[in-house]
Every structure is written in structure tokens, then in C-alpha cells.
Amino acid sequence: MAQQAICIIRGFNKSEQDFLDWEQRFAPLRVAFEKYGILVQGIYSTPDSNPNIPQNLSTPITVVQAESNTAAHPSWSKALNIPIQQLLHIIPETEYEHVAVIPMSFETQLDEHYAELLAKTISEHKRFVACRITPDWLNIDNPYSVKSESDILQRWEYVKTNIQNESLSNILRDEKRLQTLCMFGRNTLAQYYLSDFKTHGLFDETTDAIGGMEDWEYLLRTAPQFDCAIYYTDIRIQENEKDIEAIRKQREKLSREISALKQIIEKKL
């Protein structure tokens, strides 16, 4: 049974109001952790030298100074590795398997149902895979649905089978499949145990140079068994399909992610 959940929230250039809004989004998860007797701690990993964190937040947050490539482009993999390295040093090794490490974006939002399912899963020492609820305009004409838990788990089992059979090249042949993979298994909301990083090492920081996807590099390297799927929303993605600028930015981001995932897979072949 996991006794502690440590949420690593990466962000930069956030105002006090941003943190107050974040606290409202985080509230369902905090309540769920309390229900299952899991001690929760927040780590805000940021390149900002003096983040504007209000003093009266309900969830205790420790600030970790993360490195950045430039002020506008933080090194997101280092922003995970630095606090994880600190945890490995501070927490006794005998407790590693009881500490859930949960990277989550500053903009992630969970409803009460999935917040409780997440906490319940961790309390049972199982693993969830999270999937972003994505508007149809971003995922149009994609035959690989991720609208149900079985959809997501089937997509992951396909990937895992290809890992085991050393046939990852199968995934490269289908652009829509790659697009689907970019919707789940991401550090926008993910679950690891501190023992994972003792066994498998940290995230690959070289992925920063190719567009990220350090999360998928880790999944392809470790191939965990997932027990359930959790759905979340990203407040940066609006449902309004007439918002041309939002659509452009999200499609450009998706294109970068697909390119990075291709390079990661090709490197493993």
C-alpha cells in the first residue's frame, strides 16, 4: 500500500492568482488522498528564482529550483529529475516502493470521480495510465479511439507486445497510431513509484532537444503493467473548435510530439 503521494508540478512564470486557481483544480485530488489515508505533498519544480506562491495554500508545496535551457524553454525532463534525485536521497530506500511519484501539469484538471479512482488505485498499490480528454477537432478521423478504459488499455497492450517482441517498427508505420499514443501515457498526469527510479534510472534528458516525450521514452524502456485508465482535462485546450489560434498551437504541438516519439522509437530499433 502506498503511504505517500508526491505530486511534482512543473511550471514557470505563474502569478499568485494562478496558484489559487490551481489549488481549486487540485482540491478533488487532495480530498481523495485524504479519504484513502495517503499523505500528499506537492513539489513545484520551476526555473523561476522567486515563484509567487501564496502562503495560505491548503496543500503544502515545496519549491525545487529546476534548470532551464532558456527563460522561455525550461528543461522539463530536468524539472522532473532534479526533485526525484532529491527524493531518492532524502527518503529511506526501504520506503521507495510505498511512495507514489505523480508528475502533473500545472494545468491538469480531474473531476471527483477520477480523482477518487486515482487515489484508490494508488492505495491498492496498482498503476493507472492517464489519458487527456481531447476535443474532436484535434483528433479528427482517428480510428484508434481512446474514449473508453478498454480502448486505452488495448492501445498500451499493443505497444507492450511490440516492446516484448522487439518489433517497435510496427508502430512507426501508422501516423494515426502515433497521434493516439500522444494522448495518453504522458507526464501531464502520470504515476510512478520511487522504486522505479532506483531500478530503471531517471528520465532521458536528451529528449528535451528533440521536442520532449521523455515520458514515452521511459514507458518504452520500462513497459509497466497498467491496471486502469484515468481521464483528465487540460485547461489550455479549449472546446471551441472555432478558436483558430488554439487549434493551430495544439496541432503544432502534436506534430512536434509525434516527431519526437518517432525519433525515440527509431533510436531503440
Side-chain angles (χ1 to χ4, degrees):
M1 176 179 176
Q3 300 170 337
Q4 186 175 5
I6 300 177
C7 299
I8 302 179
I9 303 105
R10 295 174 292 178
F12 73 109
N13 196 29
K14 303 298 183 184
S15 68
E16 285 197 15
Q17 186 59 51
D18 289 332
F19 279 101
L20 293 174
D21 293 341
W22 169 83
E23 183 174 46
Q24 291 298 311
R25 292 193 297 275
F26 191 77
L29 193 53
R30 186 182 67 251
V31 170
F33 281 137
E34 291 173 354
K35 176 178 178 178
Y36 286 93
I38 299 172
L39 180 65
V40 61
Q41 174 189 348
I43 294 178
Y44 183 61
S45 186
T46 180
D48 295 341
S49 57
N50 188 27
N52 300 304
I53 301 178
Q55 297 297 314
N56 58 342
L57 291 181
S58 300
T59 303
I61 292 182
T62 302
V63 176
V64 169
Q65 191 70 39
E67 299 178 34
S68 61
N69 297 326
T70 69
H73 296 91
S75 175
W76 292 125
S77 59
K78 287 184 179 179
L80 285 174
N81 285 342
I82 290 172
I84 289 170
Q85 285 174 315
Q86 292 182 6
L87 294 172
L88 288 169
H89 179 71
I90 294 170
I91 296 174
E93 189 170 341
T94 54
E95 298 180 19
Y96 284 0
E97 65 177 316
H98 301 296
V99 178
V101 177
I102 304 176
M104 58 186 302
S105 166
F106 194 88
E107 289 80 16
T108 296
Q109 183 165 307
L110 281 163
D111 66 18
E112 291 181 1
H113 169 73
Y114 283 114
E116 176 157 348
L117 180 57
L118 185 157
K120 181 177 184 291
T121 301
I122 291 175
S123 73
E124 296 172 349
H125 209 269
K126 296 179 179 180
R127 292 180 189 263
F128 68 81
V129 59
C131 180
R132 184 178 67 200
I133 298 173
T134 306
D136 288 339
W137 53 258
L138 187 58
N139 208 32
I140 194 168
D141 297 328
N142 192 330
Y144 302 110
S145 173
V146 288
K147 293 185 178 180
S148 74
E149 180 179 56
S150 61
D151 287 337
I152 299 170
L153 296 180
Q154 286 175 16
R155 308 296 172 234
W156 171 243
E157 284 303 315
Y158 177 82
V159 173
K160 192 172 179 180
T161 298
N162 280 277
I163 295 172
Q164 293 167 343
N165 295 336
E166 298 183 346
S167 53
L168 282 174
S169 57
N170 291 336
I171 300 172
L172 287 175
R173 299 190 182 101
D174 194 333
E175 191 87 1
K176 286 296 184 181
R177 192 189 299 278
L178 289 167
Q179 177 175 318
T180 300
L181 298 185
C182 290
M183 302 300 171
F184 69 91
R186 307 301 308 282
N187 281 329
T188 314
L189 178 63
Q191 175 198 354
Y192 309 91
Y193 288 100
L194 194 55
S195 54
D196 293 337
F197 302 107
K198 173 68 175 180
T199 302
H200 302 292
L202 301 174
F203 292 104
D204 183 353
E205 295 178 4
T206 66
T207 56
D208 287 331
I210 63 171
M213 303 299 282
E214 78 289 339
D215 33 33
W216 264 98
E217 190 283 330
Y218 203 85
L219 289 182
L220 295 176
R221 188 177 359 137
T222 61
Q225 175 64 45
F226 292 115
D227 300 286
C228 71
I230 301 289
Y231 288 90
Y232 67 91
T233 54
D234 185 324
I235 63 170
R236 292 168 295 189
I237 301 178
Q238 302 300 314
E239 294 294 332
N240 184 4
E241 62 184 37
K242 296 181 180 180
D243 190 340
I244 297 174
E245 184 64 12
I247 294 173
R248 181 186 66 80
K249 288 182 178 179
Q250 287 301 321
R251 286 183 173 159
E252 286 181 355
K253 180 176 182 291
L254 181 60
S255 178
R256 291 194 303 271
E257 291 170 347
I258 291 173
S259 175
L261 183 53
K262 283 181 178 178
Q263 292 179 67
I264 289 167
I265 293 174
E266 288 168 350
K267 188 177 179 180
K268 293 182 179 296
L269 295 178

